Amino acid sequence: MTDSADLDYLDGNAAAGPLSEFFAVDVVSARGRCAHCGRTAALATARLYPSSHGLLLRCPGCTEILLRLVDSGDSVCLDLHGLSFVELHRDEGGSQPNPQPPA
Amino acid sequence: MGIVSPGFFGRRRSDDPALPPGQYRTEDFPVLSAGPTPRISPDEWEFTITTETGQVHRWSWTEFLALKQDDVSTDIHCVTSWSKLGTSWRGVSLDTLFESVESECEFTMAHSYGGYTTNVPLDDLLGGKAWIAHQFDGETLEPAHGGPARLLVPHLYFWKSAKWVRGLELLRQDEPGFWESNGYHMYGDPWREERYW
């Protein structure tokens, strides 16, 4: 049985593989904004609940759902309604600030 | 407990007439967590049925336990392919809870503590087919399995048997719930393998 002290989720890095079918880049390094509470952070910091029904990423701030992925074999369904934006930096690693515009 | 729930030690029993197509038999009771487990005390628990007119029928934990209790032995079938045969539950039939409810609706949405929802036609909740269960195997239903109380609709895939249920909303038209809006079947009959859209 699970109790409150047990860890029953993974971090968002574990979503990288399943999401690679949709995105040409490693999208868990992108910053996403929770549509519920506004918390903005790398998707890798979200909580992944490995329910066998599907993949769920939840906001670590408010626990609302950021992303759902259901693989039915013939198709894969991605629901992003819990993310109000996703920001991906073009520099390698995706964690550096934007380059300064040319002078 | 680790990140992976124990219990997936089933073996293929495709020749077993008690198993719907594509199902494996397991002796354990796997836990599939879609989020944090809500911890609801009996003092704060309530169950409601809300009709299309906005009328709310409400039961506290004490009132709920005072209703006629049924002991149910049934097979359960999870869409992730495990089946558990001959499970034992105790709870209140939805027939009992709907005795005082007047509605012309044909559909319901089950709502749970924690935000989970799932849609079930009203006909599938009545006629001795569904319960609000609060005991499993003679013991209080543990939070990981949906306690204090969960919906039990054993003739449909088990995602319809909403854990931590707190109410039913009567609907004029069928609407998708949490998993149904993201690929899972609107009805979910295991004998017809209604897993996905």
Side-chain angles (χ1 to χ4, degrees), chain A residues 1 53 56 58 65 68 79, chain B residues 34 142 178 181-182 184 196:
Chain A
M1 290 303 106
H53 292 96
L56 292 174
R58 287 181 180 268
I65 292 169
R68 288 187 291 177
D79 179 344
Chain B
E142 297 185 42
F178 181 87
S181 64
N182 210 49
Y184 281 87
Y196 304 105

Side-chain angles (χ1 to χ4, degrees), chain B:
Chain B
M1 191 188 82
I3 190 72
V4 176
S5 300
F8 290 95
F9 301 108
R11 59 195 175 94
R12 193 160 190 86
R13 287 282 298 270
S14 58
D15 56 339
D16 188 336
L19 288 180
Q23 294 295 110
Y24 299 79
R25 181 173 177 165
T26 181
E27 302 299 330
D28 297 299
F29 197 166
V31 175
L32 304 177
S33 296
T37 298
R39 308 276 160 174
I40 311 299
S41 73
D43 285 348
E44 62 185 312
W45 184 90
E46 68 170 14
F47 181 76
T48 62
I49 296 176
T50 305
T51 72
E52 66 272 32
T53 64
Q55 186 178 15
V56 181
H57 301 256
R58 195 181 304 271
W59 292 266
S60 69
W61 185 248
T62 303
E63 292 166 335
F64 171 72
L65 291 182
L67 296 172
K68 176 181 175 290
Q69 303 289 316
D70 289 356
D71 291 307
V72 182
S73 178
T74 187
D75 303 337
I76 55 176
H77 310 290
C78 179
V79 72
T80 60
S81 295
W82 59 261
S83 289
K84 186 172 174 62
L85 306 184
T87 58
S88 298
W89 305 83
R90 185 173 177 81
V92 176
S93 168
L94 266 300
D95 294 307
T96 301
L97 292 161
F98 270 92
E99 276 176 4
S100 60
V101 177
E102 289 190 14
S103 174
E104 295 180 355
C105 292
E106 296 179 10
F107 303 99
T108 75
M109 185 70 76
H111 294 267
S112 295
Y113 292 99
Y116 181 77
T117 57
T118 189
N119 58 315
V120 185
L122 182 56
D123 272 355
D124 289 86
L125 297 179
L126 302 178
K129 295 196 291 281
W131 295 265
I132 303 298
H134 60 89
Q135 286 188 13
F136 173 73
D137 258 354
E139 304 286 341
T140 299
L141 188 61
E142 297 185 42
H145 287 303
R150 73 180 299 161
L151 185 59
L152 177 64
V153 196
H155 67 286
L156 300 179
Y157 279 125
F158 212 45
W159 90 79
K160 298 287 187 179
S161 294
K163 295 198 277 190
W164 315 298
V165 68
R166 64 173 175 81
L168 290 168
E169 175 189 12
L170 285 150
L171 301 174
R172 294 186 189 279
Q173 295 186 320
D174 202 8
E175 294 176 13
F178 181 87
W179 287 118
E180 295 86 1
S181 64
N182 210 49
Y184 281 87
H185 199 275
M186 288 291 277
Y187 185 63
D189 181 350
W191 294 97
R192 293 158 62 180
E193 280 210 83
E194 293 175 342
R195 300 177 194 271
Y196 304 105
W197 295 339

Side-chain angles (χ1 to χ4, degrees), chain A residues 18-41:
Chain A
L19 289 173
S20 67
E21 202 166 359
F22 277 92
F23 299 96
V25 296
D26 180 10
V27 75
V28 299
S29 65
R31 282 157 44 88
R33 183 170 65 195
C34 173
H36 183 73
C37 73
R39 186 181 187 277
T40 304

